[in-house]
């Protein structure tokens, strides 16, 4: 995966999450205290943005920063080998988390 791929994924995810929340680019820009041009450039993968701007966007969208870099569904369809690795890692992490929660719950108070 190249830097361009990651930048494209970031743009796709910002746009997808923004649309899911029924926000325009202008509304997201206002919430994040950024210019509309900055939001547009991020979504179109025209340039990398700063950590500070990423923090503002994640706060405005109410998401963790890692959500902006997760593969989108369409990338799973085109990269089945990569998708399998990611899905396996997610499943393992979920299993470990559930096991730790169950272990906590089984301990006496």
């Amino acid at each position: 995966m190249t830097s361009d791929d990651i930048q494209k994924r970031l743009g796709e995810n910002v746009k997808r999450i923004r649309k899911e929340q029924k926000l325009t680019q202008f509304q997201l820009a206002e919430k994040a205290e950024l210019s509309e041009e900055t939001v547009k450039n991020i979504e179109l993968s025209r340039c990398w943005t700063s950590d500070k701007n990423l923090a503002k966007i994640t706060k405005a969208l109410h998401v963790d920063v890692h959500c902006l870099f997760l593969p989108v569904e369409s990338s799973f369809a085109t990269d089945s080998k990569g998708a399998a690795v990611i899905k396996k890692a997610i499943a393992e992490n979920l299993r470990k988390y559930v096991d730790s929660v169950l272990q906590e719950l089984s301990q006496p108070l």
Side-chain angles (χ1 to χ4, degrees):
M1 175 169 278
T2 67
S3 175
D4 288 342
D5 294 333
I6 296 169
Q7 187 176 1
K8 183 178 177 190
R9 181 176 292 169
L10 169 65
E12 289 172 348
N13 283 329
V14 168
K15 184 176 183 175
R16 177 184 52 77
I17 295 166
R18 173 182 62 77
K19 286 186 171 194
E20 285 173 359
Q21 296 184 16
K22 298 183 181 1
L23 296 171
T24 64
Q25 288 178 335
F26 178 78
Q27 289 169 321
L28 174 57
E30 277 192 330
K31 283 181 77 169
E33 299 177 352
L34 298 169
S35 71
E36 185 177 4
E37 190 66 25
T38 297
V39 172
K40 190 177 293 188
N41 285 336
I42 293 168
E43 288 186 2
L44 294 173
S45 306
R46 288 185 181 156
C47 61
W48 275 105
T49 192
S50 68
D51 294 347
K52 185 177 175 181
N53 287 350
L54 279 178
K56 288 179 176 185
I57 289 171
T58 57
K59 184 177 179 183
L61 293 174
H62 307 288
V63 297
D64 290 326
V65 71
H66 75 275
C67 294
L68 300 180
F69 296 96
L70 289 173
V72 291
E73 191 173 334
S74 62
S75 64
F76 281 125
T78 58
D79 183 11
S80 60
K81 183 178 178 183
V85 170
I86 291 170
K87 287 177 182 177
K88 183 178 178 182
I90 291 170
E92 286 176 15
N93 282 325
L94 282 173
R95 236 180 266 117
K96 287 178 185 177
Y97 175 72
V98 169
D99 287 346
S100 70
V101 169
L102 291 173
Q103 188 174 28
E104 270 184 44
L105 292 173
S106 67
Q107 294 180 5
L109 296 174

